[in-house]
Every structure is written in structure tokens, then in C-alpha cells.
Amino acid sequence: MAGYRKLSRTSSQRKALLRNQVTALLENGKIVTTEAKAKEIRRIAEHLIALAVREKDNFETVTVTAKVARKDKDGKRLKEVVDGKKVTVYDEVQKEIKKDSASRLHARKQMNRVLYTVKEVPAAGAGKKKNTKTVDVAQKLFDEIAPKYADRNGGYTRIVKIGPRKGDAAMEVLIELV
């Protein structure tokens, strides 16, 4: 018996499909798909959540000094004339950042190997490239999902049968985070 379902696809198509569905599940919390796909998605998603739960507190907070360009009311950089040249004016700012330990960094890299980057478009600025922002799903795993499941030993997803699909009578299911 094989260790995984082939889903009637080549290996590259299958990997792309599963990566896409796992990313959508972790971003949205639930998706509707077929039963066979859901069982494969569950394997991958539960592994990623377990990684995040294990490494959720494995970082240190560090204060760093950063140079940030001073901006005017319109959000444009302020320029100052020095020796006949226009030079951007910078301010020094203290920032606190999270510095991952080696094991958490490794877990993040393993997650990013599976997850796609997600572009989020706000409803107000739809159709404008400038208003899009990228969502770090791995960071969402560490910050939002892992603390929710910290005291749970596996079983992070639930599969609920919806019924047969109209076109081909494939069993449709709802897979969601518990």
C-alpha cells in the first residue's frame, strides 16, 4: 500500500495542488474539497501546526537601532541640500524585533517549503496593485494558530462530510481547523 494518495495527477501537479490547498486552509481556517484531497491536506496541515506549536516560544526579543527616512504629510521622503546635493534626511529609531532561535528558523524554512506566499487585496482598493500586501502564513502559524493549540496533542483539523458533488458525485467535505 502506498504512503499517500496520487489523486490522478503527476507528482508536480499533486504537490502544487496540495500546497495551494494547505495554504488556503491555514489562511482562511476552512475550505471545501473532495474527501481524498482533504485526507491528504490534513496530513500536511497537522504536521505544519505541530511544528509551529513546538517552536512557538522559541525566540528572543532584541532591541535594534534603525535608520528611517523622515517623511512629509504626503508620505514622501524629505530631502535636504548638503554641499549642493539633495540628500534624504534620516532619523534613528529604536525597534524591538523577534530573533528566531536556530530550531525555530529551521521550522520556518520547512513551512515555507510547503506554503505559498499570499497576496491580500483589501475590498476598497480592489484592482490596484499598490494596495496589495503579502501575508506571511508561517508567521500566522506561529502567532495565531500555535497558541490556540498549545495544550492539544494532535487532531488540529476536522473533516465534515457535506454530500456528493452534483457533477461527478464525488464526496465533498469541509475541512476546518478545530
Side-chain angles (χ1 to χ4, degrees), residues 63-111:
T63 305
V64 294
T65 304
K67 283 186 171 181
V68 179
R70 193 180 301 164
K71 297 186 178 181
D72 61 2
K73 63 180 189 312
D74 297 329
K76 294 185 179 181
R77 293 180 174 199
L78 286 176
K79 302 272 185 180
E80 196 176 83
V81 177
V82 177
D83 297 330
K85 292 184 178 180
K86 283 188 176 179
V87 180
T88 306
V89 181
Y90 290 97
D91 295 327
E92 288 194 3
V93 179
Q94 298 288 329
K95 289 187 177 182
E96 286 198 0
I97 60 170
K98 289 181 180 178
K99 184 178 176 190
D100 289 347
S101 68
S103 59
R104 181 172 162 135
L105 179 64
H106 180 64
R108 183 183 300 276
K109 286 183 177 182
Q110 285 180 314
M111 289 175 193

Side-chain angles (χ1 to χ4, degrees), residues 6 27-28 39 47 69 74 85 121 133 144 172 178:
K6 292 187 179 178
E27 184 194 6
N28 302 320
K39 288 179 180 178
H47 173 70
D74 297 329
K85 292 184 178 180
V121 182
K133 62 180 181 178
E144 297 171 26
E172 273 197 319
V178 176

